[in-house]
């Protein structure tokens, strides 16, 4: 499920999507943009936003013919909320990483519809994997050059680029949230060192990095200090990697624990129906449990088709574990194999 769908469903908007879409793409894009940004705004802002969305859903169900002023009012309240969230702005980060800073005014001058589409695409590209990202950078680079040379013909150039980029995002399969998190935290240079300690430690680092994306700016900044120290230590004392990584995991787990975030992992596990067999899997050891959590979180971003196939595997696993709990290990190993594939 796309990050946008995940955000919209988590905020309870499923029942009024048609009503909002009927007002036109501009309002719909603004709602999608806000919903996605809220995922990264921390628990406190998220909870306040849920109240606004809940009121909007109730109002739209009772007064669908007056939808426009209700949606405009909600967008105003939500924009103010997102603005005060102190989050690192995923959209700004995406636009700057793609080199669009110099032509933002030109695109905005074409109207909010085109600008919102560009922002939406840029955000989705962050999760589309390195290959799609690199192809998109070529398209954006060409767009920037064209707009600087032919600013008066901006509209067809932007429309053409949106078409190419939408096709790219569509073929991306899942956007790899884990890679994005690890790279944003500067871990690229020491991945081999951590992986050499075994999958248990590596899975814990990946899990923490992903959770940090949703923990709000303050926790993120504190975590970057810990990771920065870890990278420096590992480069200077690679032979003593184990105690350094264990110490960092301890500090980071404490940070994530205090973040008050809604837990993406819990959401994934519950959505896949694993609640009833968590104890059984945990009893096999942290390595298997971390692999299951990792897979469950990645599935949230893997598209509907993969999600549905995975639900079948998890459903079978739950049934098997309830009937043969004493044989849990081979059942879990078999399921991990199917899900990893």
């Amino acid at each position: 499920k796309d990050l946008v769908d995940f955000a919209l469903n988590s905020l309870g908007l499923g029942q009024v999507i048609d009503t909002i879409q009927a007002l036109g793409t501009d309002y719909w894009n603004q709602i999608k943009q806000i919903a996605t940004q809220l995922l990264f705004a921390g628990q406190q802002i998220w909870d306040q936003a849920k109240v606004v969305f809940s009121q909007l859903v109730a109002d739209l169900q009772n007064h669908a013919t007056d939808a426009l002023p209700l949606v405009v009012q909600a967008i105003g309240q939500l924009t103010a909320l997102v603005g005060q969230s102190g989050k690192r702005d995923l959209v700004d980060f995406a636009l700057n990483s793609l080199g669009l800073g110099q032509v933002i005014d030109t695109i905005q001058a074409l109207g909010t519809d085109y600008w919102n589409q560009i922002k939406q695409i840029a955000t989705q590209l962050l999760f589309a994997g390195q290959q799609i990202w690199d192809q998109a950078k070529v398209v954006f680079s060409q767009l920037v050059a064209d707009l600087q040379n032919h600013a008066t013909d901006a509209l067809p150039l932007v429309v053409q680029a949106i078409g190419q980029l939408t096709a790219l995002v569509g073929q991306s399969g899942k956007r790899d949230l884990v890679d994005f998190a690890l790279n944003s935290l500067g871990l690229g240079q020491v991945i081999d060192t951590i992986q050499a300690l075994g999958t248990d430690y590596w899975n814990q680092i990946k899990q923490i990095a992903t959770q940090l994306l949703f923990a709000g700016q303050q926790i993120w900044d504190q975590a970057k200090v810990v990771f920065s120290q870890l990278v420096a230590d590992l480069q200077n004392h690679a032979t003593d990697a184990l105690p350094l990584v264990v110490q960092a995991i301890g500090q980071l787990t404490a940070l994530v624990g205090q973040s008050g975030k809604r837990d993406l992992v819990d959401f994934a596990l519950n959505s896949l129906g694993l609640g009833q067999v968590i104890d059984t899997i945990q009893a096999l050891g942290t390595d298997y449990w971390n692999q299951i959590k990792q897979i469950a979180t990645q599935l949230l971003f893997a598209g509907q088709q993969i999600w549905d196939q995975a639900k079948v595997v998890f459903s079978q696993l739950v049934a098997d574990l309830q009937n043969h709990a004493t044989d849990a290990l081979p059942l879990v190993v078999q399921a991990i194999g199917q899900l990893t594939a």
Side-chain angles (χ1 to χ4, degrees):
K1 292 172 305 303
D2 184 84
L3 197 67
V4 181
D5 287 348
F6 171 67
L8 294 171
N9 291 333
S10 301
L11 291 161
L13 282 180
Q15 330 155 54
V16 294
I17 284 177
D18 292 344
T19 311
I20 302 173
Q21 285 179 327
L23 300 176
T25 53
D26 187 20
Y27 297 106
W28 177 234
N29 279 335
Q30 286 183 69
I31 290 288
K32 288 193 294 183
Q33 192 69 44
I34 288 165
T36 312
Q37 290 179 313
L38 284 166
L39 282 175
F40 302 87
Q43 183 68 32
Q44 195 178 357
I45 305 289
W46 176 267
D47 291 339
Q48 292 174 50
K50 282 197 85 163
V51 175
V52 177
F53 276 117
S54 177
Q55 186 61 53
L56 176 63
V57 169
D59 289 345
L60 288 177
Q61 289 175 323
N62 294 328
H63 313 283
T65 50
D66 300 322
L68 185 56
L70 296 170
V71 170
V72 168
Q73 179 186 18
I75 287 173
Q77 293 172 287
L78 293 161
T79 303
L81 266 182
V82 169
Q84 59 160 279
S85 72
K87 59 172 185 40
R88 68 199 167 294
D89 195 341
L90 200 69
V91 181
D92 286 349
F93 174 79
L95 294 171
N96 291 332
S97 302
L98 292 161
L100 281 181
Q102 331 155 53
V103 294
I104 284 176
D105 292 344
T106 311
I107 303 173
Q108 285 179 327
L110 301 176
T112 53
D113 188 20
Y114 298 106
W115 177 233
N116 280 332
Q117 285 184 69
I118 289 289
K119 287 194 295 185
Q120 193 68 45
I121 288 166
T123 312
Q124 290 179 311
L125 283 167
L126 283 175
F127 303 90
Q130 191 63 44
Q131 194 177 357
I132 304 289
W133 175 267
D134 291 339
Q135 292 174 51
K137 282 196 84 163
V138 175
V139 177
F140 275 116
S141 177
Q142 186 62 54
L143 175 62
V144 170
D146 289 344
L147 287 177
Q148 289 175 322
N149 295 328
H150 313 282
T152 51
D153 301 322
L155 185 56
L157 296 171
V158 170
V159 169
Q160 179 186 18
I162 287 174
Q164 293 172 287
L165 293 161
T166 303
L168 267 181
V169 169
Q171 59 160 280
S172 71
K174 73 172 188 40
R175 303 157 296 292
D176 198 341
L177 202 67
V178 181
D179 286 349
F180 171 68
L182 294 171
N183 291 332
S184 301
L185 292 162
L187 281 180
Q189 330 155 51
V190 295
I191 284 177
D192 292 345
T193 311
I194 302 173
Q195 285 179 328
L197 301 176
T199 54
D200 188 19
Y201 298 106
W202 177 234
N203 280 334
Q204 286 182 68
I205 290 286
K206 287 194 294 184
Q207 192 68 45
I208 288 165
T210 312
Q211 289 179 313
L212 283 167
L213 281 175
F214 301 87
Q217 182 68 32
Q218 195 177 358
I219 305 289
W220 176 267
D221 291 339
Q222 292 174 50
K224 282 197 85 164
V225 175
V226 177
F227 276 116
S228 177
Q229 187 60 54
L230 175 63
V231 169
D233 290 344
L234 288 177
Q235 289 174 323
N236 295 328
H237 313 282
T239 51
D240 301 323
L242 184 57
L244 296 170
V245 170
V246 169
Q247 179 186 18
I249 287 173
Q251 294 171 286
L252 293 161
T253 303
L255 265 182
V256 169
Q258 59 160 280
S259 72
K261 60 171 188 40
R262 70 203 163 291
D263 196 342
L264 200 69
V265 182
D266 287 349
F267 174 80
L269 293 171
N270 291 334
S271 302
L272 292 162
L274 282 180
Q276 331 154 53
V277 294
I278 284 177
D279 291 345
T280 311
I281 303 173
Q282 284 179 328
L284 301 176
T286 53
D287 189 20
Y288 297 106
W289 177 232
N290 280 333
Q291 285 184 69
I292 290 288
K293 287 194 294 184
Q294 191 69 44
I295 289 165
T297 312
Q298 289 180 313
L299 283 168
L300 283 174
F301 302 90
Q304 190 64 43
Q305 194 177 357
I306 305 286
W307 176 267
D308 291 339
Q309 291 173 43
K311 280 196 87 163
V312 175
V313 177
F314 275 116
S315 177
Q316 186 62 54
L317 175 63
V318 169
D320 290 344
L321 287 177
Q322 289 174 323
N323 294 328
H324 313 283
T326 51
D327 301 322
L329 185 57
L331 296 170
V332 170
V333 168
Q334 179 186 17
I336 286 173
Q338 294 172 285
L339 293 160
T340 303

